[in-house]
Amino acid sequence: MATIKVTDKTFQDDVLGSDVPVLVDFWAEWCGPCKMIGPALEELAVEYDGRIKIAKVNVDENPALPAQFGIRGIPALFMFKGGEVVSNRTGAAPKANLKSWIEETV
């Protein structure tokens, strides 16, 4: 499964109501580091299909969510389990580091 696009309106159902953990990538079109990790997140979404979901929230199109979670820098990655934030990190990282973080938090 590819990454899913989540908005202010769909966040409750797609992330908080998910029956599997959800990694949410808060990003923007103009953000270079966000574009750098995009392909790795797409690959990880396929690798972890059925075990976790990877969602992307465009912070320019959905300003309520970054404000709600106090996001000050992007890319900001948040891992949700059972509707709660269990871990987060900011900034780009190689795929191997992202995979290790997922394994530690899921």
Side-chain angles (χ1 to χ4, degrees), residues 80-92:
F80 290 82
K81 283 172 83 173
E84 301 289 328
V85 175
V86 294
S87 183
N88 67 345
R89 63 187 298 160
T90 303

Side-chain angles (χ1 to χ4, degrees), residues 28-98:
E29 286 287 338
W30 49 264
C31 170
C34 298
K35 290 182 178 184
M36 286 173 44
I37 66 168
L41 291 175
E42 291 293 337
E43 292 172 15
L44 290 168
V46 172
E47 290 178 32
Y48 285 95
D49 187 27
R51 294 187 286 159
I52 70 165
K53 287 195 275 187
I54 299 182
K56 297 179 76 67
V57 174
N58 184 314
V59 297
D60 290 333
E61 296 171 359
N62 303 282
L65 292 170
Q68 179 180 343
F69 292 103
I71 294 169
R72 295 199 169 135
I74 55 174
L77 304 173
F78 281 67
M79 183 67 75
F80 290 82
K81 283 172 83 173
E84 301 289 328
V85 175
V86 294
S87 183
N88 67 345
R89 63 187 298 160
T90 303
K95 180 181 173 184
N97 291 22
L98 295 172

